mmCIF file of all heavy atoms in Angstrom:
data_model
loop_
_atom_site.group_PDB
_atom_site.id
_atom_site.type_symbol
_atom_site.label_atom_id
_atom_site.label_comp_id
_atom_site.label_asym_id
_atom_site.label_seq_id
_atom_site.Cartn_x
_atom_site.Cartn_y
_atom_site.Cartn_z
ATOM 1 N N GLN Q 8 3.880 21.755 19.663
ATOM 2 C CA GLN Q 8 3.456 20.430 19.225
ATOM 3 C C GLN Q 8 4.568 19.759 18.432
ATOM 4 O O GLN Q 8 5.317 20.399 17.720
ATOM 5 C CB GLN Q 8 2.201 20.544 18.362
ATOM 6 C CG GLN Q 8 1.005 20.948 19.175
ATOM 7 C CD GLN Q 8 0.047 21.793 18.373
ATOM 8 O OE1 GLN Q 8 0.174 21.915 17.178
ATOM 9 N NE2 GLN Q 8 -0.892 22.378 19.068
ATOM 10 N N ARG Q 10 5.555 16.897 15.652
ATOM 11 C CA ARG Q 10 4.972 16.156 14.548
ATOM 12 C C ARG Q 10 5.430 14.707 14.586
ATOM 13 O O ARG Q 10 6.588 14.415 14.755
ATOM 14 C CB ARG Q 10 5.421 16.805 13.238
ATOM 15 C CG ARG Q 10 5.116 15.981 12.008
ATOM 16 C CD ARG Q 10 5.495 16.786 10.794
ATOM 17 N NE ARG Q 10 4.789 18.051 10.860
ATOM 18 C CZ ARG Q 10 3.700 18.305 10.151
ATOM 19 N NH1 ARG Q 10 3.210 17.402 9.348
ATOM 20 N NH2 ARG Q 10 3.100 19.462 10.258
ATOM 21 N N ASP Q 16 -2.803 2.557 14.998
ATOM 22 C CA ASP Q 16 -2.839 1.885 13.706
ATOM 23 C C ASP Q 16 -3.446 0.503 13.859
ATOM 24 O O ASP Q 16 -3.020 -0.262 14.715
ATOM 25 C CB ASP Q 16 -1.421 1.780 13.137
ATOM 26 C CG ASP Q 16 -1.447 1.633 11.627
ATOM 27 O OD1 ASP Q 16 -2.478 1.170 11.091
ATOM 28 O OD2 ASP Q 16 -0.439 1.978 10.998
ATOM 29 N N ARG Q 18 -3.699 -1.599 11.225
ATOM 30 C CA ARG Q 18 -3.208 -2.480 10.162
ATOM 31 C C ARG Q 18 -2.069 -3.342 10.689
ATOM 32 O O ARG Q 18 -1.462 -3.051 11.713
ATOM 33 C CB ARG Q 18 -2.711 -1.637 8.990
ATOM 34 C CG ARG Q 18 -3.839 -1.016 8.189
ATOM 35 C CD ARG Q 18 -3.316 0.024 7.250
ATOM 36 N NE ARG Q 18 -2.592 1.043 8.002
ATOM 37 C CZ ARG Q 18 -2.397 2.268 7.544
ATOM 38 N NH1 ARG Q 18 -2.834 2.622 6.371
ATOM 39 N NH2 ARG Q 18 -1.741 3.144 8.276
ATOM 40 N N GLN Q 298 -33.857 -0.897 13.337
ATOM 41 C CA GLN Q 298 -33.192 -0.169 14.425
ATOM 42 C C GLN Q 298 -32.466 -1.133 15.353
ATOM 43 O O GLN Q 298 -31.329 -0.904 15.759
ATOM 44 C CB GLN Q 298 -34.229 0.623 15.246
ATOM 45 C CG GLN Q 298 -34.774 1.854 14.545
ATOM 46 C CD GLN Q 298 -33.766 2.993 14.498
ATOM 47 O OE1 GLN Q 298 -33.120 3.307 15.478
ATOM 48 N NE2 GLN Q 298 -33.622 3.598 13.336
ATOM 49 N N ASN Q 313 -13.457 -1.854 22.142
ATOM 50 C CA ASN Q 313 -13.170 -1.875 23.588
ATOM 51 C C ASN Q 313 -12.099 -2.905 23.912
ATOM 52 O O ASN Q 313 -11.185 -2.648 24.699
ATOM 53 C CB ASN Q 313 -14.431 -2.240 24.387
ATOM 54 C CG ASN Q 313 -15.351 -1.049 24.613
ATOM 55 O OD1 ASN Q 313 -14.965 0.102 24.413
ATOM 56 N ND2 ASN Q 313 -16.575 -1.320 25.031
ATOM 57 N N ASN Q 395 -20.696 -3.859 40.981
ATOM 58 C CA ASN Q 395 -20.051 -3.551 42.260
ATOM 59 C C ASN Q 395 -18.538 -3.426 42.090
ATOM 60 O O ASN Q 395 -17.912 -2.501 42.621
ATOM 61 C CB ASN Q 395 -20.323 -4.653 43.289
ATOM 62 C CG ASN Q 395 -21.706 -4.533 43.910
ATOM 63 O OD1 ASN Q 395 -22.395 -3.534 43.725
ATOM 64 N ND2 ASN Q 395 -22.109 -5.551 44.633
ATOM 65 N N GLU Q 399 -16.559 -0.075 42.810
ATOM 66 C CA GLU Q 399 -15.628 0.019 43.940
ATOM 67 C C GLU Q 399 -14.171 0.018 43.510
ATOM 68 O O GLU Q 399 -13.356 0.770 44.042
ATOM 69 C CB GLU Q 399 -15.898 -1.143 44.919
ATOM 70 C CG GLU Q 399 -17.248 -0.974 45.631
ATOM 71 C CD GLU Q 399 -17.729 -2.229 46.355
ATOM 72 O OE1 GLU Q 399 -16.910 -3.144 46.558
ATOM 73 O OE2 GLU Q 399 -18.926 -2.289 46.695
ATOM 74 N N ASN S 2 -2.093 -1.130 17.050
ATOM 75 C CA ASN S 2 -1.941 -0.380 18.304
ATOM 76 C C ASN S 2 -3.136 0.543 18.473
ATOM 77 O O ASN S 2 -3.424 1.349 17.608
ATOM 78 C CB ASN S 2 -0.649 0.453 18.266
ATOM 79 C CG ASN S 2 -0.518 1.332 19.483
ATOM 80 O OD1 ASN S 2 -0.910 0.936 20.577
ATOM 81 N ND2 ASN S 2 0.011 2.516 19.311
ATOM 82 N N LEU S 51 -1.650 28.005 20.181
ATOM 83 C CA LEU S 51 -1.738 26.545 20.075
ATOM 84 C C LEU S 51 -1.908 26.050 18.635
ATOM 85 O O LEU S 51 -1.746 24.863 18.375
ATOM 86 C CB LEU S 51 -2.910 26.029 20.922
ATOM 87 C CG LEU S 51 -2.743 26.157 22.434
ATOM 88 C CD1 LEU S 51 -4.055 25.866 23.134
ATOM 89 C CD2 LEU S 51 -1.664 25.232 22.946
ATOM 90 N N GLN S 65 -1.085 22.773 9.505
ATOM 91 C CA GLN S 65 0.025 21.995 10.059
ATOM 92 C C GLN S 65 0.034 20.551 9.575
ATOM 93 O O GLN S 65 0.974 19.813 9.848
ATOM 94 C CB GLN S 65 -0.043 22.000 11.582
ATOM 95 C CG GLN S 65 -0.011 23.380 12.195
ATOM 96 C CD GLN S 65 -0.014 23.296 13.697
ATOM 97 O OE1 GLN S 65 0.930 22.793 14.288
ATOM 98 N NE2 GLN S 65 -1.091 23.745 14.322
ATOM 99 N N LYS S 278 -24.215 3.306 42.868
ATOM 100 C CA LYS S 278 -22.971 2.681 42.388
ATOM 101 C C LYS S 278 -23.191 2.052 41.009
ATOM 102 O O LYS S 278 -22.368 2.188 40.118
ATOM 103 C CB LYS S 278 -22.555 1.620 43.404
ATOM 104 C CG LYS S 278 -21.207 0.987 43.154
ATOM 105 C CD LYS S 278 -20.869 0.008 44.273
ATOM 106 C CE LYS S 278 -20.574 0.743 45.576
ATOM 107 N NZ LYS S 278 -20.445 -0.170 46.713
ATOM 108 N N HIS S 279 -24.323 1.368 40.870
ATOM 109 C CA HIS S 279 -24.570 0.681 39.599
ATOM 110 C C HIS S 279 -24.844 1.660 38.454
ATOM 111 O O HIS S 279 -24.474 1.411 37.314
ATOM 112 C CB HIS S 279 -25.718 -0.323 39.757
ATOM 113 C CG HIS S 279 -25.307 -1.515 40.578
ATOM 114 N ND1 HIS S 279 -26.094 -2.634 40.729
ATOM 115 C CD2 HIS S 279 -24.186 -1.751 41.299
ATOM 116 C CE1 HIS S 279 -25.463 -3.511 41.503
ATOM 117 N NE2 HIS S 279 -24.315 -2.987 41.863
ATOM 118 N N SER S 293 -14.046 4.497 22.806
ATOM 119 C CA SER S 293 -13.505 3.504 21.858
ATOM 120 C C SER S 293 -14.038 3.760 20.458
ATOM 121 O O SER S 293 -13.291 3.721 19.480
ATOM 122 C CB SER S 293 -13.887 2.078 22.288
ATOM 123 O OG SER S 293 -13.307 1.745 23.526
ATOM 124 N N GLU S 304 -7.344 7.934 8.083
ATOM 125 C CA GLU S 304 -6.930 7.085 6.968
ATOM 126 C C GLU S 304 -7.784 7.342 5.733
ATOM 127 O O GLU S 304 -7.435 6.902 4.645
ATOM 128 C CB GLU S 304 -7.071 5.615 7.362
ATOM 129 C CG GLU S 304 -6.114 5.168 8.447
ATOM 130 C CD GLU S 304 -4.666 5.206 7.965
ATOM 131 O OE1 GLU S 304 -4.413 4.798 6.823
ATOM 132 O OE2 GLU S 304 -3.813 5.681 8.733
ATOM 133 N N ARG S 367 -28.885 4.970 13.034
ATOM 134 C CA ARG S 367 -29.043 3.503 13.012
ATOM 135 C C ARG S 367 -29.668 3.061 11.682
ATOM 136 O O ARG S 367 -29.262 2.048 11.106
ATOM 137 C CB ARG S 367 -29.877 3.030 14.204
ATOM 138 C CG ARG S 367 -29.067 2.910 15.492
ATOM 139 C CD ARG S 367 -29.861 2.214 16.586
ATOM 140 N NE ARG S 367 -30.961 3.033 17.047
ATOM 141 C CZ ARG S 367 -30.906 3.855 18.105
ATOM 142 N NH1 ARG S 367 -29.793 3.932 18.827
ATOM 143 N NH2 ARG S 367 -31.942 4.564 18.459
#
Side-chain angles (χ1 to χ4, degrees):
Chain Q
Q8 290 147 11
R10 169 175 304 258
D16 203 336
R18 286 168 303 203
Q298 287 286 315
N313 278 346
N395 281 350
E399 291 166 15
Chain S
N2 175 36
L51 292 169
Q65 302 183 65
K278 187 177 290 171
H279 288 188
S293 296
E304 293 294 318
R367 279 190 291 266

